[in-house]
Amino acid sequence: MTEQAKVPEIRFAGFTDPWEQRKLGDVASSFDYGLNAAATEYDGQNKYLRITDIDDETHEFSKSDLTTPLADLAMSADYLLKEGDLLFARTGASVGKTYLYRQFDGMVYFAGFLIRARIGEGADPEFAYQATLTDAYKKYVAITSQRSGQPGVNAQEYADYQLMLPSKTEQQQIGMTLRSLDDLITLHQRKYDKLVVFKKSMLEKMFPKDGESVPEIRFAGFTDPWEQRKFGDCFEFLKSNTLSRAGLNGENGTARNVHYGDILIKFGDCLDGERSDLPFITDDTVLPKYAGSILREGDVIFADTAEDETAGKCVELRKLPKEPTISGLHTIPARPRFPFGTGYLGHYLNSDAYHRQLLPLMQGIKVISVSKAALQDTQVRFPGLSEQSAIGAALNEIDSLITLHQRKLELLQNIKKSLLDKMFA
């Protein structure tokens, strides 16, 4: 679509009229700055909306109980939001962030670092809001907000933002469609968030706490006490290479590599190497040097370095690609000396029950590291093999659900972005 185009790339059937270029100030009846108020006693009903209460991703309330109070709320009716009011963050790191007020959010007053645009009768508030999620709007804010000091966009500059407007009926159709998609995105985001919290709870309850011999919850039929041994009695260390990303590629090679950055960011507790697109090692002469440390299913790999206390994050290898795979830069690979149930080690070694042993052993300030010596004397707790397998299977199933909703969420977000690009002229 060229800059001269007066219609979007895609539109609903039955609409053929060209779009009209208008300033946002032409479709808003007013632009108002928010209320600067000191916190006093909260009256239990009214809410005070700040920039930090707007979620960066969903552009909705990031929490349901906005309880920042106001003094003399009854005297502040000018700052009370009405259905369809559009808010803009005017300064700081959040400049440009927007929020569309809907009646079900309750009685809400808006804060001083926000600007309210009250959309007039000739335009659809939802359409105007969706227009602020486009790349064109983000570019305008990035350019306009440039200041010698803190970035900011004032009310007049927001009013000067130009957008293309179809008829109000077409605006409403577009706004309603994109809003329905937003609702789906929010639904999957909440399901994903709940599953992440649920898994965290299970990790806390399915492994014994300090000083206890059994966990808080167990599967029916398991009653034996758990065993405890030193890490060094349970595992033997393997060799790892020192290849940086520059020595790896995503296309071909005779061997694969597990990089510490992927353990920290990309991989979960258990790694299916057949599906994870492990990078290839570019230099074919590297593999023979690690012939005795080629990884197997059931091996575990720790990331020994991170910028925070995620150092020591671990991954259990469940499946591996057909090519030989070795452990890479800043990793500590270890092989169990006896069998463990599938999935048990990946989840246990990443749980607080185990990981908190590593916290006092971590070294460094800007970069934190964990050594083999530190791992060697940590205590490993485990039940019988059948119970290990049951725990691993249950937590793997939760992981699968988390991944499912994450993928659905990413798909919906990509669809939304594509529609924004194509539905706005």
Side-chain angles (χ1 to χ4, degrees):
M1 183 171 59
T2 66
E3 292 184 0
Q4 289 74 33
K6 299 299 182 182
V7 295
E9 186 175 340
I10 59 172
R11 63 195 304 194
F12 292 98
F15 296 105
T16 58
D17 294 339
W19 290 32
E20 181 183 357
Q21 183 170 297
R22 302 284 297 278
K23 289 183 178 181
L24 188 59
D26 295 335
V27 299
S29 60
S30 64
F31 279 82
D32 306 296
Y33 290 99
L35 173 66
N36 289 314
T40 58
E41 183 179 357
Y42 175 56
D43 72 354
Q45 178 183 5
N46 299 286
K47 300 171 183 177
Y48 183 50
L49 179 64
R50 303 154 301 182
I51 295 174
T52 52
D53 296 318
I54 302 173
D55 187 271
D56 288 336
E57 296 297 327
T58 65
H59 288 237
E60 296 183 352
F61 281 168
S62 59
K63 51 190 175 185
S64 59
D65 56 339
L66 299 177
T67 56
T68 302
L70 287 174
D72 300 323
L73 287 177
M75 304 296 291
S76 307
D78 289 342
Y79 304 101
L80 184 63
L81 295 177
K82 294 183 180 180
E83 181 79 22
D85 279 351
L86 183 57
L87 294 183
F88 298 84
R90 67 185 179 93
T91 189
S94 299
V95 64
K97 186 161 64 174
T98 57
Y99 160 73
L100 181 65
Y101 172 75
R102 298 175 178 88
Q103 200 67 48
F104 56 72
D105 286 331
M107 187 176 290
V108 179
Y109 295 76
F110 66 106
F113 287 104
L114 292 167
I115 298 171
R116 175 183 61 194
R118 183 152 285 169
I119 306 301
E121 292 295 326
D124 178 57
E126 187 69 54
F127 178 88
Y129 163 68
Q130 295 291 340
T132 69
L133 305 180
T134 61
D135 287 340
Y137 169 79
K138 294 173 185 176
K139 182 178 179 180
Y140 176 81
V141 169
I143 295 172
T144 308
S145 65
Q146 293 179 6
R147 299 283 193 270
S148 58
Q150 192 176 45
V153 179
N154 61 39
Q156 185 57 56
E157 289 167 332
Y158 278 124
D160 286 340
Y161 176 64
Q162 295 190 351
L163 68 162
M164 301 297 295
L165 287 177
S167 67
K168 187 173 180 180
T169 303
E170 188 171 1
Q171 290 179 46
Q172 291 170 331
Q173 184 73 54
I174 293 171
M176 181 177 62
T177 300
L178 294 175
R179 178 61 191 172
S180 297
L181 190 53
D182 283 343
D183 289 342
L184 276 176
I185 290 172
T186 299
L187 173 66
H188 283 288
Q189 182 69 62
R190 288 173 179 168
K191 287 183 177 180
Y192 170 81
D193 292 341
K194 286 180 179 179
L195 284 166
V196 170
V197 171
F198 177 66
K199 182 188 175 183
K200 186 176 186 299
S201 175
M202 290 298 99
L203 287 173
E204 292 173 352
K205 296 177 179 179
M206 296 183 79
F207 302 110
K209 294 180 172 63
D210 292 342
E212 299 180 4
S213 60
V214 294
E216 184 177 339
I217 58 174
R218 302 180 79 173
F219 290 100
F222 297 108
T223 58
D224 294 338
W226 287 40
E227 192 171 347
Q228 178 173 303
R229 296 195 196 180
K230 283 188 175 183
F231 186 95
D233 296 333
C234 301
F235 299 89
E236 61 176 312
F237 292 118
L238 306 176
K239 291 172 61 179
S240 60
N241 65 64
T242 57
L243 295 173
S244 67
R245 293 284 190 189
L248 309 174
N249 74 87
E251 298 177 358
N252 57 70
T254 58
R256 304 263 193 162
N257 185 82
V258 180
H259 192 275
Y260 83 104
D262 292 335
I263 296 175
L264 291 172
I265 298 172
K266 184 178 179 181
F267 303 147
D269 296 340
C270 299
L271 171 63
D272 183 345
E274 290 181 342
R275 300 182 178 182
S276 297
D277 297 325
L278 289 171
F280 292 94
I281 296 174
T282 303
D283 185 355
D284 291 342
T285 66
V286 171
L287 179 62
K289 302 173 185 177
Y290 299 90
S293 294
I294 295 174
L295 297 168
R296 305 173 189 167
E297 291 183 14
D299 290 347
V300 296
I301 308 174
F302 294 84
D304 70 11
T305 297
E307 294 181 355
D308 53 27
E309 293 179 350
T310 56
K313 183 179 182 295
C314 178
V315 63
E316 176 186 335
L317 303 181
R318 291 177 58 195
K319 292 183 180 180
L320 288 168
K322 61 182 180 179
E323 298 86 3
T325 304
I326 57 179
S327 196
L329 179 70
H330 288 307
T331 66
I332 302 176
R335 176 162 295 156
R337 297 184 185 274
F338 47 85
F340 283 87
T342 300
Y344 176 80
L345 288 175
H347 297 298
Y348 170 68
L349 294 174
N350 284 314
S351 71
D352 285 344
Y354 176 78
H355 190 78
R356 62 173 163 256
Q357 295 181 71
L358 300 180
L359 299 181
L361 305 175
M362 293 180 179
Q363 298 178 337
I365 300 176
K366 292 184 177 181
V367 176
I368 299 175
S369 62
V370 176
S371 66
K372 289 181 181 179
L375 289 173
Q376 191 79 19
D377 292 329
T378 57
Q379 299 293 321
V380 178
R381 311 279 299 271
F382 52 93
L385 195 58
S386 296
E387 190 171 1
Q388 290 177 37
S389 297
I391 292 170
L395 292 173
N396 285 340
E397 183 63 27
I398 295 174
D399 276 350
S400 295
L401 287 172
I402 290 173
T403 300
L404 173 65
H405 285 291
Q406 185 179 28
R407 288 174 178 168
K408 286 183 177 180
L409 181 60
E410 291 171 352
L411 175 62
L412 288 168
Q413 289 170 335
N414 288 335
I415 291 173
K416 172 70 185 294
K417 186 180 186 307
S418 177
L419 287 178
L420 283 173
D421 291 341
K422 294 177 181 178
M423 295 184 78
F424 284 85

